[in-house]
Amino acid sequence: IVGLMALYGSKAIRGHGIPEAMEQILTNQSKIKPTITYLKPISSAIAIGTGGPFGAEGPIIATGGALGSTLGQIMKISHNERKILLASGATAGMAAIFCTPIAGIFLAIELLLFEFSPRSLIPVALSCITGAAGHHFLFSSGPVFPIDHLIAIPSNKALLIYSILGIVIGFFSVFVTKIVYLIEDGFEKLPVHWMWWPAIGGLCVGIIGYFSPKTLGVGYENITDILSGSLPIKVVLSLCFLKFISWAIALGSGTSGGTLAPLLTIGGATGILLGNLVLIFFPDSGITLSLAALVAMSAIFAGASRALLTSIIFALEVTGQSNALLPVLAGCLGSYIVSFFIMENTIMTEKITRRGVKTPDSYEPDILET
């Protein structure tokens, strides 16, 4: 169904949403086809609702961005103002899903706006507040991924281990990104029309899901279970490896779905496994499995997307654990540094870089371009 919608509706519904929004901002004066406003959520609902191992946040960000862009095109405003509307719609979607208004603002700055100024910051902040209020109204006012105990402030020894954990996760985030695009390249070489690729990906997802049902669907409850630190190792292993394989194949096939929830699940499960190894060899290290999972979860997002500040604030907002700030900061920074020096592009920019679109990596003005 997704293949048919992409063929007869718009190819732009394929993929995870954020790179496509970035491309339109950088190359098309933030003009997104109005049809994406309804095609993207419908295709994503079909893909995720039938067991696709994606998060809902990518499609919601793409849908909100398309809605903002469409309003900007109707109102006949400048492309800079349209860019701000697009970013406002996109981040309001993220705030509505995760109740993370501050992380939404940083997401806009780091991945969509490529600027830090009051003219963009104020509208985006207002939209994120509105999105979070919508979450409170429709769902609850508590954290999306609650941890049933208060995380204690870690000792310096534990902080060192969390920092090393972040560096290890940085290498893993590079591996994850490379594998996703390796699979995507593999699909490009198949002797069948691209319309059939989502069906092939869906078949692989179904086979893996038959043996490990927890890999199917969004899996937000899996993230909460991982953060509790009480899941059996067998389940953690399946969420780490089988979820990764299922998601990478499905995403590489061009199905419509998000990357954030799968990355959080895979990263959190990896953090649990590494945390258990540390506790076996260093039982007096002072680390806890819950915090190891949270550090790894945020670090893999920081490494794969290089949205450093978004990753840090996101981890605190979705759990409500302010004592986790220092280890999360250390872990995300370690992962970011590894990713920055090893990987030229990120999971968000690799696809559009291959099309010749350069994404800004700083907020300095390009004098020659100006």
Side-chain angles (χ1 to χ4, degrees), residues 255-276:
T255 308
S256 180
T259 58
L260 185 50
L263 278 175
L264 296 179
T265 305
I266 297 159
T270 307
I272 292 284
L273 295 175
L274 293 173
N276 274 302

Side-chain angles (χ1 to χ4, degrees), residues 21-341:
M22 293 170 76
E23 184 176 22
Q24 297 308 311
I25 288 170
L26 294 167
T27 64
N28 196 31
Q29 296 190 333
S30 305
K31 292 179 181 176
I32 298 177
K33 288 182 180 178
T35 52
I36 302 301
T37 309
Y38 60 88
L39 285 176
K40 187 68 177 179
I42 293 172
S43 62
S44 301
I46 291 167
I48 297 168
T50 54
F54 303 109
E57 64 291 326
I60 293 296
I61 287 170
T63 303
L67 181 59
S69 174
T70 302
L71 289 173
Q73 292 171 66
I74 292 169
M75 294 195 297
K76 307 291 184 187
I77 55 180
S78 72
H79 66 88
N80 272 325
E81 291 169 318
R82 191 161 48 244
K83 176 180 75 170
I84 294 166
L85 267 180
L86 188 157
S88 297
T91 51
M94 180 178 176
I97 291 286
F98 290 116
C99 194
T100 52
I102 311 299
I105 294 168
F106 281 111
L107 180 84
I109 292 167
E110 293 185 301
L111 295 181
L112 296 173
L113 292 170
F114 310 113
E115 66 170 83
F116 191 91
S117 63
R119 69 168 188 175
S120 57
L121 200 60
I122 293 169
V124 167
L126 289 170
S127 71
C128 287
I129 292 167
T130 308
H135 180 92
H136 291 170
F137 178 72
L138 294 169
F139 305 108
S140 71
S141 56
V144 177
F145 305 131
I147 298 176
D148 57 7
H149 59 276
L150 181 67
I151 290 177
I153 297 174
S155 64
N156 284 348
K157 185 194 289 186
L159 191 60
L160 173 64
I161 292 171
Y162 291 128
S163 304
I164 296 168
L165 176 64
I167 293 170
V168 173
I169 293 294
F171 286 103
F172 185 56
S173 69
V174 172
F175 171 76
V176 166
T177 304
K178 298 289 185 187
I179 290 295
V180 165
Y181 283 102
L182 196 66
I183 291 171
E184 194 168 288
D185 293 340
F187 272 98
E188 294 279 354
K189 295 172 184 174
L190 288 178
V192 293
H193 193 277
W194 60 260
M195 186 201 81
W196 297 104
W197 297 353
I200 297 168
L203 179 64
C204 296
V205 169
I207 292 168
I208 293 170
Y210 178 78
F211 295 101
S212 180
K214 272 189 171 289
T215 61
L216 297 171
V218 175
Y220 290 151
E221 70 284 350
N222 292 336
I223 297 171
T224 304
D225 292 341
I226 287 169
L227 288 171
S228 72
S230 59
L231 278 180
I233 289 295
K234 186 179 178 181
V235 177
V236 174
L237 281 168
S238 76
L239 287 175
C240 182
F241 296 108
L242 295 181
K243 178 81 175 183
F244 168 56
I245 295 166
S246 174
W247 165 70
I249 293 173
L251 193 65
S253 71
T255 308
S256 180
T259 58
L260 185 50
L263 278 175
L264 296 179
T265 305
I266 297 159
T270 307
I272 292 284
L273 295 175
L274 293 173
N276 274 302
L277 281 176
V278 170
L279 288 174
I280 289 169
F281 293 104
F282 306 101
D284 59 343
S285 61
I287 71 162
T288 64
L289 292 180
S290 292
L291 190 48
L294 183 59
V295 169
M297 190 181 290
S298 52
I300 196 169
F301 182 44
S305 69
R306 289 217 279 272
L308 176 65
L309 298 175
T310 305
S311 307
I312 295 164
I313 302 300
F314 181 86
L316 302 186
E317 285 192 296
V318 293
T319 59
Q321 299 279 354
S322 57
N323 286 346
L325 175 60
L326 210 52
V328 165
L329 175 61
C332 286
L333 199 58
S335 179
Y336 180 91
I337 290 168
V338 169
S339 171
F340 183 82
F341 283 107

